[in-house]
Amino acid sequence: MQQEKKFDFNQTIGFILIAILFGVFYYLNKPSEEEIEKQKKELVQKQEQAKKQEQLNKTASQKLFEEVDTTQAKDVEVSNDKIKVKFSPKGAQISDVQIIGYDAYNVKKDGHKDPLHLIQEGSNTFNLSFKSKQGAVINVSDLIFVPQVQKNANNTIVTFTANAQNSQIQYIYTIGDSYGIDFEVKTQGLSNITSDSKVDLAWNMNGFSTEKGKDQEKYWSHTYFQFKGNKDIEYELFGADEWKEEDAISWVANKQQFFATVLSNEEGFKDTNGGSVNSDKQDLVHSKYYHLNSKLDLKNSEINTKFTWDFIPLDYKMLKSYNDKGFQNLIDFGWGILGWLNKLFFLNVFKWLASVGIAYGWVIFLMTIVVKLILSPIMYKQNRQSALMKVIRPELNEINEKYKDSKDAMKKQQETMAIYRNAGINPLAGCLPALLQIPIFYALFRFFPNLIDLRGVPFWFVDDLTAFDDLIKLPEWVPFLNGHLSIFALLYIVAMTIYFKVSGSMDNFQMPQQEGMPNMQFMKYMMYIMPLFFFVFLNNYASGLSWYYLVSNTINIFIVLYIKKYMINETKIHEIIKANKAKPKKQGKFASRMQDMMKQAQEMQEQQKGKKK
């Protein structure tokens, strides 16, 4: 007999005492108003000192470097058929990058479309800094450069130059016909300015929010990097990330959901730390704030380093042939078998079906049918197993009634296993098909939110298959639903519930309770609650996934009904079990060992009972 859980008064008192102790500790250690005021003043003083130091550094830079005629210091714009780039003379920065052929989502605009900028209005800062011989910090991003533009048949070369007394700093950008920009930093006579042997590198970027699903966008946006001489990439998923590495890193990517800004260094970044922080919920302009810090070694007291900037859409097929740096691995298709399923199966099936030229929503529909055809043998085995279990249920109920006492648990288990064995049923056989489907189920969670082909693609009442559908609006105060109801998610839950009914999934929870097994009544309740959890999740997820699961469950309903009506006949099942019972049973080694172990356990149990008497 299971004992009822009773109210534990002592445990409750313990929790109350712990709470009181925490409260007393907090009160005793709470800073006084004088201490809080002192901390505020110290913070203000530090901020003022930082501003003064920044101004001193700028003044020192202006004294060291030649003053530039403002008519010579102009913005430079360069474009090809993939990107449009603007360079600023201040700090020789890349000040604007637009990806041609893609739009950014803007909820406030009619049509919800804007040109897609990865960098705009000073959101990107690349800075090299070092100390002058007088002790001032020189930030190259504060200097004013003079640009010079050269064009040839294949490339446009933009050279920015800042001159000091007997020294020079140059930033050289080369733009061809790809998403990449070669970037070279060269100096002459730097030893006249500094005695440092290293230069600090700092890259800061505010990632613009370009997608409809803001929460999803933040979830998939992170910094990624690759160690030099290694094709694997490193990253930390879930929320903000922070990392520090001493080994050389060949490239660092500020990844957003469907785009990435990548900075590569030919020699490798050393003594590097980086990461990203989520923007505030109220900030609809940005999704992430990225940062990178590293050091560059001076060679013969000069900087002579080659970088590459890449502003890339995360298209797996395109990136595989883009270069040999492994940028295609920035797409979060999953690790292990999940990644292989998405890259080798789902992506190829999707591309093959899309080549017909039909709408992507119908491509997903056809892709679901292909998957269902492949899994149909597994579904047949599942339903056959369910039918067999249904037939022997009366016998199992009899055993359960016969051995109600917990002392007879071993006998009940032995006779239950004997019924399974005589009927030719393997109770674990129903688990294997379900296990085979789990990787497919979870692989699709990675596939749809990361497939750039679906980005911004409408289908029926959905305006973007990689974001939620929000035709039904709700007040913002409704918890968990983010102000909308997804129709596809709702219909999927309805289809899931119907499938549970017609497939007999609920019948499995009417089986007799076995010793040591989970409470079937509780599991039945969970089967009703589970759709609610799925709905809350899918309501804010990619509508393409909800559409896939809706189609999948609808097909499942018809497959199950067909199997039950035409392929599995209960009379035939009885005949199969009867024939199995008549056959002589060959007990395998494993079954024999299990039976011996159960007998030994039963004997030990009886011996212990005798000792107690």
Side-chain angles (χ1 to χ4, degrees):
M1 292 286 291
Q2 286 188 330
Q3 291 185 344
E4 266 187 57
K5 281 196 170 181
K6 294 184 179 179
F7 177 73
D8 192 335
F9 183 76
N10 292 330
Q11 190 180 53
T12 305
I13 292 295
F15 281 128
I16 293 171
L17 288 173
I18 291 170
I20 291 170
L21 285 172
F22 271 116
V24 171
F25 177 81
Y26 174 78
Y27 178 79
L28 292 175
N29 289 275
K30 184 180 177 182
S32 63
E33 290 185 11
E34 291 80 8
E35 288 174 326
I36 292 171
E37 193 62 34
K38 185 181 177 183
Q39 289 172 0
K40 285 181 180 178
K41 286 181 180 178
E42 287 176 354
L43 180 62
V44 170
Q45 286 175 354
K46 284 180 181 179
Q47 289 173 341
E48 288 175 353
Q49 287 173 359
K51 285 181 181 179
K52 286 178 183 178
Q53 187 60 49
E54 185 180 350
Q55 188 57 46
L56 288 171
N57 292 336
K58 285 184 179 180
T59 304
S61 299
Q62 290 168 357
K63 287 180 179 178
L64 278 170
F65 286 83
E66 295 177 7
E67 192 173 337
V68 176
D69 185 351
T70 53
T71 59
Q72 292 181 313
K74 295 179 179 179
D75 290 339
V76 176
E77 290 189 22
V78 181
S79 65
N80 55 31
D81 61 351
K82 293 179 173 65
I83 56 174
K84 187 184 291 183
V85 187
K86 183 188 285 187
F87 302 94
S88 169
K90 184 181 179 182
Q93 300 289 304
I94 297 176
S95 59
D96 195 305
V97 175
Q98 180 186 342
I99 307 294
I100 296 171
Y102 293 93
D103 297 310
Y105 183 85
N106 185 343
V107 69
K108 296 179 180 179
K109 197 169 184 179
D110 289 341
H112 304 313
K113 289 183 179 181
D114 266 339
L116 194 145
H117 293 265
L118 295 186
I119 295 171
Q120 194 176 28
E121 299 173 354
S123 66
N124 182 73
T125 305
F126 177 88
N127 183 43
L128 299 177
S129 61
F130 50 86
K131 280 188 178 180
S132 70
K133 290 182 177 180
Q134 291 75 32
V137 177
I138 306 298
N139 290 304
V140 177
S141 60
D142 290 333
L143 304 178
I144 304 298
F145 287 72
V146 175
Q148 183 180 6
V149 182
Q150 294 176 295
K151 291 186 179 181
N152 56 39
N154 300 315
N155 300 314
T156 300
I157 301 168
V158 183
T159 303
F160 284 93
T161 305
N163 290 309
Q165 190 173 4
N166 301 319
S167 61
Q168 184 183 77
I169 298 176
Q170 285 189 325
Y171 279 14
I172 305 167
Y173 297 96
T174 304
I175 301 96
D177 59 358
S178 75
Y179 291 103
I181 300 173
D182 291 332
F183 172 41
E184 188 176 0
V185 180
K186 294 173 70 174
T187 64
Q188 290 180 7
L190 194 63
S191 59
N192 296 323
I193 300 175
T194 182
S195 301
D196 288 352
S197 60
K198 293 179 184 290
V199 171
D200 290 323
L201 181 155
W203 174 30
N204 292 283
M205 177 180 163
N206 299 335
F208 287 111
S209 178
T210 60
E211 311 305 323
K212 178 182 178 181
K214 305 301 180 187
D215 292 339
Q216 267 199 93
E217 185 178 29
K218 289 177 183 178
Y219 177 85
W220 297 110
S221 301
H222 300 275
T223 54
Y224 289 65
F225 59 93
Q226 185 185 77
F227 288 113
K228 195 167 177 61
N230 191 338
K231 290 298 179 185
D232 295 331
I233 65 169
E234 308 291 331
Y235 66 96
E236 291 182 28
L237 204 55
F238 310 117
D241 61 302
E242 194 72 35
W243 48 270
K244 185 175 182 180
E245 300 292 343
E246 294 181 1
D247 296 336
I249 290 170
S250 57
W251 55 260
V252 178
N254 293 344
K255 178 191 174 295
Q256 294 163 255
Q257 187 174 356
F258 291 108
F259 302 91
T261 302
V262 189
L263 180 61
S264 308
N265 186 352
E266 200 172 76
E267 298 170 7
F269 299 101
K270 298 170 186 175
D271 298 323
T272 311
N273 65 79
S276 66
V277 179
N278 281 338
S279 65
D280 295 332
K281 188 107 178 168
Q282 293 76 22
D283 185 357
L284 300 179
V285 176
H286 302 101
S287 59
K288 286 271 188 172
Y289 304 113
Y290 304 91
H291 62 276
L292 172 73
N293 295 92
S294 184
K295 292 186 181 295
L296 297 178
D297 294 320
L298 297 183
K299 297 176 182 178
N300 300 320
S301 301
E302 301 288 358
I303 304 173
N304 192 355
T305 305
K306 292 182 178 180
F307 302 89
T308 305
W309 292 98
D310 288 283
F311 304 96
I312 49 176
L314 296 176
D315 183 319
Y316 187 83
K317 296 286 186 181
M318 182 276 288
L319 291 176
K320 278 205 76 173
S321 58
Y322 182 72
N323 59 28
D324 61 351
K325 296 180 181 180
F327 287 173
Q328 69 272 16
N329 295 320
L330 288 169
I331 303 171
D332 292 312
F333 277 148
W335 50 270
I337 191 171
L338 303 184
W340 288 111
L341 271 171
N342 281 327
K343 294 170 188 175
L344 299 180
F345 178 70
F346 285 116
L347 186 60
N348 287 317
V349 170
F350 181 90
K351 294 283 187 181
W352 171 61
L353 293 170
S355 64
V356 178
I358 58 176
Y360 280 160
W362 294 115
V363 171
I364 295 171
F365 180 89
L366 293 177
M367 188 170 78
T368 313
I369 293 174
V370 171
V371 175
K372 285 295 143 194
L373 288 172
I374 294 170
L375 295 177
S376 56
I378 294 175
M379 285 193 68
Y380 172 76
K381 287 182 180 179
Q382 275 184 309
N383 282 278
R384 184 178 183 276
Q385 180 78 1
S386 179
L388 289 168
M389 296 292 283
K390 186 177 179 181
V391 169
I392 66 167
R393 188 173 299 141
E395 295 180 60
L396 295 175
N397 287 336
E398 286 178 16
I399 292 172
N400 206 49
E401 287 295 319
K402 184 178 177 182
Y403 299 107
K404 285 186 175 181
D405 198 324
S406 59
K407 297 175 183 178
D408 298 322
M410 193 65 68
K411 289 180 181 178
K412 181 168 68 172
Q413 193 71 23
Q414 285 176 334
E415 291 199 25
T416 300
M417 294 304 293
I419 288 174
Y420 286 142
R421 188 168 59 254
N422 290 331
I425 297 173
N426 180 356
L428 297 177
C431 300
L432 185 59
L435 289 173
L436 290 173
Q437 293 183 71
I438 287 173
I440 294 173
F441 184 81
Y442 284 106
L444 292 167
F445 276 89
R446 297 280 185 142
F447 183 75
F448 286 103
N450 289 293
L451 187 63
I452 198 170
D453 305 65
L454 298 177
R455 182 183 180 273
V457 173
F459 181 64
W460 288 349
F461 47 82
V462 174
D463 52 10
D464 185 348
L465 283 166
T466 62
F468 51 82
D469 62 274
D470 56 353
L471 191 65
I472 302 174
K473 304 291 185 182
L474 291 178
E476 289 294 333
W477 53 261
V478 178
F480 308 118
L481 299 180
N482 286 352
H484 67 271
L485 285 178
S486 165
I487 295 175
F488 276 158
L490 276 171
L491 292 175
Y492 163 60
I493 299 308
V494 172
M496 178 195 283
T497 307
I498 294 171
Y499 172 70
F500 284 163
K501 289 286 186 184
V502 301
S503 65
S505 297
M506 296 301 182
D507 296 342
N508 294 329
F509 303 117
Q510 305 300 327
M511 296 292 287
Q513 178 69 31
Q514 301 294 324
E515 189 70 25
M517 296 297 286
N519 186 288
M520 290 295 106
Q521 197 64 26
F522 172 76
M523 294 298 289
K524 184 178 179 180
Y525 292 141
M526 285 302 297
M527 290 294 283
Y528 285 114
I529 294 169
M530 187 171 66
L532 295 176
F533 285 106
F534 268 100
F535 173 73
V536 171
F537 176 79
L538 289 173
N539 190 57
N540 300 305
Y541 211 69
S543 55
L545 180 67
S546 301
W547 168 236
Y548 176 94
Y549 283 146
L550 169 60
V551 175
S552 177
N553 272 270
T554 305
I555 294 172
N556 282 347
I557 292 167
F558 287 105
I559 289 175
V560 168
L561 291 173
Y562 179 82
I563 289 172
K564 284 189 169 185
K565 186 170 183 179
Y566 297 105
M567 301 179 73
I568 295 176
N569 184 286
E570 198 165 303
T571 305
K572 289 181 180 179
I573 294 292
H574 276 289
E575 290 173 2
I576 292 169
I577 290 176
K578 188 177 179 180
N580 285 336
K581 288 181 177 180
K583 289 177 184 177
K585 300 295 179 292
K586 291 182 180 179
Q587 196 171 42
K589 290 182 180 179
F590 178 74
S592 179
R593 286 177 186 172
M594 286 294 294
Q595 193 170 3
D596 290 340
M597 288 171 65
M598 290 172 73
K599 284 180 180 178
Q600 289 174 11
Q602 189 173 2
E603 288 172 2
M604 288 176 65
Q605 193 178 26
E606 288 174 356
Q607 287 174 7
Q608 286 175 356
K609 287 178 184 176
K611 287 179 181 178
K612 286 179 181 178
K613 290 178 181 179

